Amino acid sequence: MTEGKRQGDNIYQVSTFSALLDGVFEGEVPFSIVKKHGDFGIGTFNKLDGEMLAVDGEFYRLQGDGTIREVKEDEKTPFAAVTFFNPSLTYRIQENGTKEQIEQFISSILPSENLFYSIRITGSFRSMKTRTVSKQEPPYSSMTDVVEEQDVSTFKDCKGTIVGFYTPRYVQGLAVAGYHLHFISEDKQGGGHIFDFEIESGTVEIGEHANLQFVLPKTKEFLEADLMHGKMAEEIEKTEG
Amino acid sequence: MTEGKRQGDNIYQVSTFSALLDGVFEGEVPFSIVKKHGDFGIGTFNKLDGEMLAVDGEFYRLQGDGTIREVKEDEKTPFAAVTFFNPSLTYRIQENGTKEQIEQFISSILPSENLFYSIRITGSFRSMKTRTVSKQEPPYSSMTDVVEEQDVSTFKDCKGTIVGFYTPRYVQGLAVAGYHLHFISEDKQGGGHIFDFEIESGTVEIGEHANLQFVLPKTKEFLEADLMHGKMAEEIEKTEG
């Protein structure tokens, strides 16, 4: 192992997921900086104004009204995780599978549940159920309250790309343990945070990550956030599905 | 905030504390690399052969037999956390205080319990109780078992330096939540992982950290480790005091 090699498998994360849960919806980091650390990833925007998905160096903003546009350099994020996508495992999916089945399949082939993995699934989907969060105004309530009013869309028979991460359980709260996946349709007309899907066929690509960089905000809201309240695991399940 | 400034407050950590608890006592990272990421910090050595303490760019190995020597470049670590120490807060201690009282005092002045802090306390101690772990041979048992046989020393009326970190509770397991402190005597004749102390007078210096880099091992032992078993918090309390 050399240090140089390790840089290639870096995941760069802004803030913690528990801060988002606690209503810390404004961060200091612009996407001009996020883009320096990856060409692939997921996240959100200040005021929780849309879901972020990055793939092949293109950063998209999946908005609450169902539209998608490119992310501007000066837009900021309260939570994002990115990497330079460099898959080391590739699998073909040739029979129908639900989100649960695909996640179980991926878990069965991951070399270890103790590392981080970037996951891209390109395919044809019989159905895809996503949500997009919408712009909030201060004083912010918790994300758990916000997602009760979220916009949920179901797409039928569409092509598109899933982007996301597998995160080990021992970092629950700091990140989202397990699978955290966003979707964008091939025609760039729809997408969001994934609740459920059924895939018809496609390709799963997986990158392995053992080098993690977390950048915490120094905003008043983050410094004062309750990042360790008792129901965190439940709330992550509730907000992230 | 600029990215440049953020690099200065980086903490670099090798592996996770939960891996050490689970008996992952051999890592791949040599101190030649660790030293590039900091001049200050704590950790241990492969085979759990001694406690590590770094201060002012000097890296020490506090050995199970009570002796101390400098760390060699090619020695490797299964767990270490370092930073370039750059304190932003300094306090004088002018009356006797126990470890618990000093930690409570530090907690009362920390800007937030959600960031990481490096802590150096230079002073005169009425007593200092430390342990040093001793070289293990495979197959390794858990650290909880190892520390039941640890060498505990109590120094009376000594001068020296405490080096360590405050870590937020939301990263328990990945790191050691709360205070994790090592000690070295001024004459470099004794020290180890701190269990307890009583300070007479001294200086507390505190650095603030919002940029965290974790490098996970890709060894078979780490990949297969149980990093999330139920009693982790208890075991950290038991092994770290």
Side-chain angles (χ1 to χ4, degrees):
Chain A
M1 186 218 69
T2 69
E3 203 180 10
K5 279 186 192 164
R6 274 295 163 78
Q7 296 305 321
D9 77 6
N10 190 55
I11 291 177
Y12 172 88
Q13 182 181 302
V14 174
S15 192
T16 74
F17 195 77
S18 52
L20 209 59
L21 277 183
D22 200 50
V24 182
F25 294 162
E26 301 200 43
E28 316 153 298
V29 181
F31 277 93
S32 56
I33 287 183
V34 175
K35 287 178 179 180
K36 287 185 185 169
H37 297 277
D39 59 8
F40 175 100
I42 56 180
T44 187
F45 298 86
N46 276 9
K47 296 183 186 290
L48 217 62
D49 190 7
E51 308 278 349
M52 192 280 282
L53 178 149
V55 63
D56 294 330
E58 300 292 331
F59 282 65
Y60 298 100
R61 185 165 184 151
L62 318 172
Q63 300 177 114
D65 63 3
T67 61
I68 293 180
R69 64 169 177 75
E70 284 187 23
V71 176
K72 294 173 192 150
E73 299 277 302
D74 63 349
E75 291 175 336
K76 292 181 178 176
T77 180
F79 181 82
V82 297
T83 189
F84 288 102
F85 191 57
N86 181 24
S88 53
L89 297 167
T90 301
Y91 290 86
R92 289 285 307 160
I93 295 170
Q94 283 165 318
E95 55 187 56
N96 289 353
T98 61
K99 175 173 183 279
E100 196 181 340
Q101 288 169 333
I102 296 298
E103 287 180 356
Q104 281 175 359
F105 168 70
I106 294 174
S107 290
S108 75
I109 58 174
L110 291 182
S112 167
E113 63 182 19
N114 294 337
L115 295 179
F116 290 63
Y117 298 93
S118 47
I119 294 164
R120 178 165 72 183
I121 306 175
T122 314
S124 297
F125 299 89
R126 291 167 68 93
S127 69
M128 174 62 69
K129 185 178 172 189
T130 61
R131 73 107 196 276
T132 41
V133 283
S134 290
K135 186 173 178 179
Q136 302 296 306
E137 295 297 339
Y140 299 124
S141 54
S142 75
M143 189 158 166
T144 315
D145 292 336
V146 171
V147 297
E148 285 183 357
E149 297 167 14
Q150 63 201 334
D151 303 298
V152 176
S153 306
T154 302
F155 308 94
K156 294 283 178 192
D157 297 317
C158 63
K159 292 186 173 182
T161 302
I162 292 172
V163 164
F165 295 97
Y166 166 86
T167 298
R169 283 203 300 144
Y170 63 84
V171 289
Q172 179 69 299
L174 185 52
V176 178
Y179 294 90
H180 186 182
L181 305 171
H182 287 186
F183 175 74
I184 189 165
S185 65
E186 192 179 57
D187 60 11
K188 310 290 188 283
Q189 295 301 302
H193 174 95
I194 294 176
F195 277 141
D196 207 359
F197 65 78
E198 194 178 348
I199 193 167
E200 219 167 63
S201 66
T203 303
V204 179
E205 295 164 284
I206 300 169
E208 188 173 88
H209 304 274
N211 200 327
L212 315 162
Q213 186 181 0
F214 296 94
V215 179
L216 305 178
K218 289 188 177 177
T219 58
K220 183 170 180 293
E221 290 68 28
F222 181 83
L223 298 185
E224 293 176 357
D226 177 5
L227 303 184
M228 198 63 194
H229 47 100
K231 294 183 177 172
M232 191 180 63
E234 267 174 58
E235 289 182 12
I236 291 177
E237 175 64 25
K238 194 170 174 186
T239 58
E240 301 310 290
Chain B
M1 188 215 69
T2 69
E3 207 179 8
K5 280 189 193 164
R6 274 294 162 78
Q7 297 303 322
D9 77 6
N10 190 55
I11 291 177
Y12 172 88
Q13 182 180 302
V14 174
S15 192
T16 74
F17 195 78
S18 52
L20 208 60
L21 278 183
D22 201 50
V24 183
F25 296 161
E26 301 200 41
E28 315 152 298
V29 182
F31 277 93
S32 56
I33 286 183
V34 175
K35 288 178 179 180
K36 287 185 187 171
H37 296 276
D39 58 8
F40 176 99
I42 56 180
T44 186
F45 298 87
N46 276 9
K47 297 183 185 288
L48 218 61
D49 190 6
E51 309 277 351
M52 191 281 282
L53 178 149
V55 62
D56 294 329
E58 300 291 331
F59 282 66
Y60 298 100
R61 185 165 184 152
L62 317 173
Q63 301 178 113
D65 64 2
T67 61
I68 293 179
R69 65 169 178 75
E70 283 187 24
V71 176
K72 293 173 192 150
E73 298 278 302
D74 63 349
E75 292 175 335
K76 291 181 178 175
T77 180
F79 180 82
V82 297
T83 189
F84 288 103
F85 191 57
N86 181 24
S88 53
L89 296 168
T90 301
Y91 290 86
R92 289 284 307 160
I93 296 170
Q94 283 165 316
E95 55 185 60
N96 287 355
T98 62
K99 175 172 183 281
E100 196 182 340
Q101 288 169 331
I102 297 298
E103 288 180 358
Q104 281 175 357
F105 167 69
I106 294 173
S107 290
S108 75
I109 58 173
L110 290 181
S112 167
E113 63 182 19
N114 294 336
L115 295 179
F116 290 63
Y117 298 92
S118 47
I119 295 164
R120 178 165 73 183
I121 306 175
T122 314
S124 297
F125 299 88
R126 291 168 68 94
S127 69
M128 173 63 69
K129 185 177 172 189
T130 62
R131 73 108 196 276
T132 42
V133 284
S134 290
K135 188 174 178 178
Q136 304 296 306
E137 294 297 341
Y140 300 125
S141 55
S142 75
M143 188 157 167
T144 315
D145 292 337
V146 170
V147 297
E148 285 182 357
E149 297 167 14
Q150 62 201 336
D151 302 298
V152 176
S153 305
T154 302
F155 308 94
K156 294 284 178 192
D157 297 316
C158 63
K159 290 185 175 185
T161 302
I162 291 171
V163 164
F165 294 97
Y166 165 86
T167 299
R169 284 203 298 146
Y170 63 86
V171 289
Q172 179 70 298
L174 184 53
V176 178
Y179 294 90
H180 186 181
L181 306 171
H182 287 187
F183 175 74
I184 190 166
S185 65
E186 191 179 57
D187 60 12
K188 311 288 187 284
Q189 295 301 303
H193 174 96
I194 293 177
F195 278 142
D196 207 358
F197 65 77
E198 194 179 349
I199 193 167
E200 219 167 60
S201 65
T203 304
V204 179
E205 294 164 285
I206 300 170
E208 187 174 89
H209 304 274
N211 201 327
L212 315 161
Q213 186 181 0
F214 296 95
V215 180
L216 306 178
K218 288 188 176 178
T219 58
K220 184 170 179 292
E221 289 69 26
F222 181 83
L223 298 184
E224 293 176 357
D226 177 5
L227 303 185
M228 198 63 196
H229 47 99
K231 294 182 177 172
M232 190 180 64
E234 269 174 57
E235 288 183 11
I236 291 177
E237 175 64 24
K238 194 170 172 185
T239 60
E240 302 310 292

